[in-house]
Amino acid sequence: MNSNHPMLNKPASLSVSILASLLLSSCLGDESSQGTATGTNSTTQPAAADTTKVRFVGFGDAGQATGAGPAAQTAVGNAMASVCKEMGCDFALEFGDNFYLSGVSSTTDTQWQSKFENPYANLNLPVFATLGNHDNSQGPGEGSDNSKGDVQVAYHTASENQNKKWNMPARYYKFTAPLSSANNNGFDINVPMGYELAQTPIEPIVEFFSLDSNPLTAIGLATNDAATYNYITYGPVMMDWYNEALKSSKAPWKIAFAHHPYVSNGLHGNAGEYDGTGAVTTVFGPMKQVLSQLPLPINTVLSLTQTGEPWLDFHNNSSCTNGLDFFMFGHDHDIEWLKPQDKCGPKTNFILSGAAEQPRAFGDPNRNPVYFQKDNILGFWWFEFSNNEMIGTAYEVTFPTGGDGSDFTVTKLHEQTMKREGKREITVTFSRN
């Protein structure tokens, strides 16, 4: 395990009383802008960084899963660069499945150029990435070889990372924003040429927690993974680190990001029932009843990973109890902003952004209540956070048939604002025009 992660001897306390004050409002729009990417590494952040706001784009499932992948991925990359030039961006989050179909084999793998550096040549920003099942696979996405994901961690400090956009210092990690080299993140932030990174400490507005969902959701575990990434031991250690980090965070907003969903209306569905596998766990009903009486972390991890039940239990005993504001993820290839879930409490919102290269239809659009969702499109989210307010905007990307992605159209689909009034009392309203 990376030395940046504190190892706790006892599970973190799961009891916490949290009230947030939220005012939600939303409006739909059809504003669109067209542009042609220049193919140059033009800076996409504002000339002077604004320490009163944090702006970023979030995208996932982008590693060229289809023959049309290079053009589609390039179009989305150029569209994000265009939006960032207009709206401002400090960095990007990538939500896993960064390299289809089976990750990268080394830091010299040519896929680093074809599936990351080249498609995002015009996105001159730090990219903070997390791992998906395809990044940890021997075959087409089973997630059985976590050593493949370790290569993406190694690229963070590798000499081959010459453009210095890629950030993944460990399989799970945290950082605060506005970004600063002097903030206590536990690792050196990579930034591309021309990007000005603050050198003095900045009071955090958002703290981000990148989580490693694959060991808790994989279809199978390879023999060479058993000692290090057996979910029975790996999950509780990560959960202890995460709970302690959430409780100690001083940031007004707390955002976790990973690859696998907690809830989703896409093809894969909700954690605990991924791909319709929820019925499998009923075979173990009597054993699960016994396990449910045992203390954590034992109950957290003794479930079938292919259903995503360990991942569900992970969040039920961390994100849902220790004040997470947003959980952002990919895995399903669509765009969603899901409402807070009764099983997780009224505070946590869920953002899905997995449409950065291979669009797909919903599995069940009515599975979970949403503020907004759209399937069968290329797209991404743009966000802005200040101390007391956030804005989230969904964008759709199109490009000409047969094009290479350099010509594109980016269209605003949905914009939503959340306001935090006061520190404790909660008031929630929502309206849509």
Side-chain angles (χ1 to χ4, degrees), residues 228-272:
T228 303
Y229 298 113
N230 188 315
Y231 72 97
I232 294 177
T233 55
Y234 188 83
V237 171
M238 179 169 60
M239 187 175 70
D240 287 349
W241 168 83
Y242 179 43
N243 274 325
E244 184 64 24
L246 280 172
K247 290 190 295 182
S248 63
S249 176
K250 300 298 191 294
W253 300 93
K254 301 170 184 64
I255 299 175
F257 64 103
H259 181 63
H260 290 82
Y262 180 81
V263 286
S264 168
N265 290 343
L267 181 65
H268 293 302
N270 295 347

Side-chain angles (χ1 to χ4, degrees), residues 7 25 85 93 96 100 134 141 144 168 208 211 225 249 268 295 305 317 348 388 404:
M7 299 300 178
S25 63
K85 285 183 180 180
L93 300 182
Y100 287 98
H134 282 277
S144 69
M168 188 187 287
F208 294 87
L211 302 174
D225 278 344
S249 176
H268 293 302
T305 55
N317 294 291
T348 307
N388 297 312
D404 62 3

Side-chain angles (χ1 to χ4, degrees), residues 238-320:
M238 179 169 60
M239 187 175 70
D240 287 349
W241 168 83
Y242 179 43
N243 274 325
E244 184 64 24
L246 280 172
K247 290 190 295 182
S248 63
S249 176
K250 300 298 191 294
W253 300 93
K254 301 170 184 64
I255 299 175
F257 64 103
H259 181 63
H260 290 82
Y262 180 81
V263 286
S264 168
N265 290 343
L267 181 65
H268 293 302
N270 295 347
E273 299 178 332
Y274 285 157
D275 302 301
T277 56
V280 176
T281 62
T282 62
V283 177
F284 301 93
M287 179 59 71
K288 287 180 65 184
Q289 185 174 4
V290 172
L291 293 174
S292 68
Q293 307 304 313
L294 298 176
L296 292 169
I298 297 174
N299 181 46
T300 304
V301 296
L302 291 179
S303 303
L304 293 178
T305 55
Q306 69 184 48
T307 70
E309 190 159 351
W311 189 232
L312 172 67
D313 288 344
F314 178 95
H315 285 285
N316 285 344
N317 294 291
S318 56
S319 301
C320 302

